[in-house]
Amino acid sequence: MSSSPLSQMGRRIQEPAISWLMRLTLSRPNLSSLAAGFTDNPSLPVRETRRLAEAILSKASTGRAALQYGSTAGDPTLRELTSSHLMAEDSAALSKPAKRGAYSTGRMLITHGSQQLLYITTESLCDEGDIVLVEDPTYFVFLSILQSRGVRTRGIRLEKDGIDLSHLEEVLESLRESGEIRRLKMLYLVTYFQNPSSVTTSFEKKRAALALLSRYEKHAGHPLYLLEDAAYRELRFEGADEASALCAPEGPERVIYAGTYSKPFATGARVGFGLLPEPLHTACLRIKGNHDFGTANLLQQLLAAALKSGDYASHLPHLRARYARKARAMAAAAIEHFPKCIEWDPPRGGLYIWALGPKSLNTGMKSAFFKQALRAGVLYVPGELCFARDLSRRPSKSALRLSFGGAEASVIRCGMERLGCLLKKCQ
Ligand SMILES: Cc1ncc(COP(=O)(O)O)c(C=O)c1O
């Protein structure tokens, strides 16, 4: 038989890089993996979760409620607590009360990780051939979603405090001139301790980006959204918090805010959430209805109990201190072992260091350097995976994303030393 039984998407989809990276990490336990975005294993809240689960299951009424299906939008208590938590964070960052409306539980959706929110948002907004703007570099798993759905991408240069606004304007203007602005749907930003670069976007930049998008809406003929992925917001161990884009004047109508409890609490529970304006909220709710008609109820109840009991709040400082230590270990190893031609910034939160080599360095998946690193027993994420397919510029091939999240300090030091040796040979 000559024709494929698969749908267009089934044929188009490629193996997500995250799958083989995770497989490689798990199948070679002796590898110093600085690649996977796993969280710090020893800090996972086993004791607290056991206590919370026991409390839920100790009574038939709460136990049965948790073991029953819930609603598609998510557990009302978890939505309420999430909304209050986020509003308090934004109010503190703004030094004044944030406007309540943007955080209303009626706009919230609890999802299976924030990954599901990214997926269903894309599904509800984008048709094949539509365009999404992303940071250069960006979260490579989101690029896989876009690729699988046939969505085109344009990269916007990233600076130390978020995207280069003049480049954003240039790209919007070129899309207007070519008429393709009608296919533009959203700008996707990972705004806190970005995966992969660790850059945090200032509130000013978010506000200015939204104002720019709003100026181009009349050419697009429809709203242009900002999808703010705040996956690493809670993992801040230095500096002040930035308010979310929800606090900008256009925020409540144009921002889709994606958050998660995976990174700051129970990674394996995969409970995420989103705040969405209409008509997106309704569309995403219906799509989620078709996907799974609700995130696992027991896990939502656990998260709600963690927030209510104060376990979540008391876990955060402990977690931040651990990541600060690991980030310092990685930074110290980079200072000691990396040659001067490798540029990187000490992280202030999140899980990553983005190390950028000279143009002559090729760290790509098929490169000799990547193979040598594997032979030396160290794995990193090749930076090239984090660049959108955008023919208007040449993606950098000389970067490495290094994660200090899952690895122990000794593994971090050993992996960085091995990488440093290889990098020195490439000088
Ligand atoms: C930037 C970013 N967004 C979203 C996610 C998804 O995380 P989860 O689905 O566990 O919430 C990740 C996971 O690594 C991430 O790095």
Side-chain angles (χ1 to χ4, degrees):
M1 252 180 275
S2 58
S3 62
S4 165
L6 298 175
S7 68
Q8 282 188 17
M9 190 176 122
R11 273 175 278 149
R12 192 164 45 222
I13 197 160
Q14 297 166 349
E15 183 183 20
I18 184 83
S19 306
W20 70 259
L21 277 170
M22 283 181 138
R23 212 170 41 236
L24 212 55
T25 305
L26 295 171
S27 67
R28 294 181 59 176
N30 294 331
L31 208 59
S32 298
S33 179
L34 307 178
F38 286 113
T39 51
D40 177 57
N41 222 24
S43 64
L44 291 171
V46 177
R47 213 168 358 100
E48 296 89 329
T49 305
R50 189 189 312 123
R51 188 168 26 78
L52 295 166
E54 267 169 16
I56 292 170
L57 299 173
S58 66
K59 279 196 269 164
S61 56
T62 50
R64 285 189 189 125
L67 295 176
Q68 188 51 273
Y69 280 136
S71 69
T72 308
D75 177 61
T77 311
L78 180 59
R79 280 189 283 147
E80 191 63 56
L81 292 164
T82 302
S83 151
S84 310
H85 178 67
L86 200 53
M87 192 176 144
E89 267 186 318
D90 274 346
S91 302
L94 284 173
S95 306
K96 64 176 188 195
K99 292 199 181 106
R100 183 167 293 279
Y103 308 88
S104 99
T105 52
R107 296 159 51 87
M108 186 174 286
L109 207 52
I110 304 291
T111 48
H112 181 69
S114 52
Q115 191 65 32
Q116 188 185 42
L117 189 87
L118 301 183
Y119 195 93
I120 59 181
T121 299
T122 308
E123 221 175 14
S124 67
L125 259 182
C126 299
D127 290 310
E128 189 182 337
D130 279 347
I131 302 171
V132 169
L133 306 180
V134 298
E135 291 153 312
D136 241 355
T138 188
Y139 174 42
F140 62 91
V141 188
F142 186 63
L143 289 178
S144 288
I145 297 179
L146 297 173
Q147 183 277 329
S148 73
R149 303 205 58 83
V151 176
R152 292 177 290 160
T153 38
R154 294 289 299 267
I156 309 293
R157 269 193 306 272
L158 196 55
E159 300 175 322
K160 303 263 182 209
D161 60 348
I163 46 166
D164 177 344
L165 291 166
S166 57
H167 190 213
L168 173 63
E169 186 163 13
E170 213 177 280
V171 171
L172 288 168
E173 194 48 32
S174 79
L175 292 174
R176 185 191 68 75
E177 277 169 12
S178 67
E180 288 187 305
I181 192 97
R182 295 200 147 269
R183 302 305 303 267
L184 177 65
K185 291 296 173 65
M186 64 176 163
L187 166 66
Y188 169 71
L189 302 179
V190 183
T191 47
Y192 299 87
F193 316 109
Q194 196 229 29
N195 176 4
S197 69
S198 211
V199 161
T200 291
T201 304
S202 67
F203 176 61
E204 281 317 311
K205 279 215 162 161
K206 294 182 219 180
R207 185 155 59 182
L210 274 165
L212 252 177
L213 290 176
S214 149
R215 257 178 46 207
Y216 280 84
E217 285 190 352
K218 60 178 180 295
H219 305 295
H222 53 245
L224 294 175
Y225 292 100
L226 167 58
L227 171 51
E228 170 161 43
D229 180 341
Y232 297 91
R233 184 172 188 178
E234 304 277 48
L235 304 190
R236 172 172 49 85
F237 41 79
E238 238 186 87
D241 193 21
E242 294 283 343
S244 78
L246 289 166
C247 303
E250 295 86 356
E253 290 307 314
R254 292 293 182 265
V255 172
I256 304 146
Y257 183 92
T260 183
Y261 290 112
S262 288
K263 307 292 177 187
F265 198 69
T267 312
R270 298 298 301 281
V271 175
F273 57 90
L275 282 162
L276 305 102
E278 289 297 352
L280 270 176
H281 178 264
T282 300
C284 285
L285 187 65
R286 291 174 180 170
I287 291 174
K288 183 164 168 66
N290 282 347
H291 276 236
D292 59 17
F293 49 92
T295 301
N297 207 12
L298 174 62
L299 300 175
Q300 294 189 70
Q301 308 270 332
L302 265 175
L303 261 306
L307 285 160
K308 207 175 344 179
S309 63
D311 282 310
Y312 179 77
S314 55
H315 182 63
L316 284 180
H318 165 66
L319 194 68
R320 289 173 176 157
R322 278 193 70 89
Y323 282 129
R325 270 201 302 280
K326 288 175 135 192
R328 276 200 300 274
M330 185 171 265
I335 291 169
E336 188 178 343
H337 301 295
F338 281 12
K340 292 276 171 295
C341 60
I342 306 294
E343 292 171 25
W344 57 276
D345 287 317
R348 297 155 71 87
L351 303 181
Y352 309 106
I353 281 185
W354 179 249
L356 187 64
K359 282 210 174 87
S360 57
L361 177 69
N362 182 355
T363 61
M365 260 184 325
K366 299 210 166 91
S367 68
F369 184 86
F370 187 72
K371 289 183 190 129
Q372 282 162 8
L374 271 183
R375 272 200 298 276
V378 54
L379 182 65
Y380 61 88
V381 171
E384 66 175 8
L385 293 177
C386 307
F387 289 90
R389 184 184 292 205
D390 173 349
L391 299 177
S392 69
R393 56 95 182 94
R394 241 174 218 232
S396 161
K397 275 189 169 288
S398 63
L400 305 88
R401 190 200 75 173
L402 304 169
S403 171
F404 50 84
E408 286 169 26
S410 57
V411 174
I412 293 174
R413 281 192 289 272
C414 167
M416 293 293 280
E417 184 175 353
R418 289 175 188 174
L419 273 181
C421 279
L422 292 174
L423 289 168
K424 280 177 192 152
K425 282 190 202 149
C426 292
Q427 272 183 295

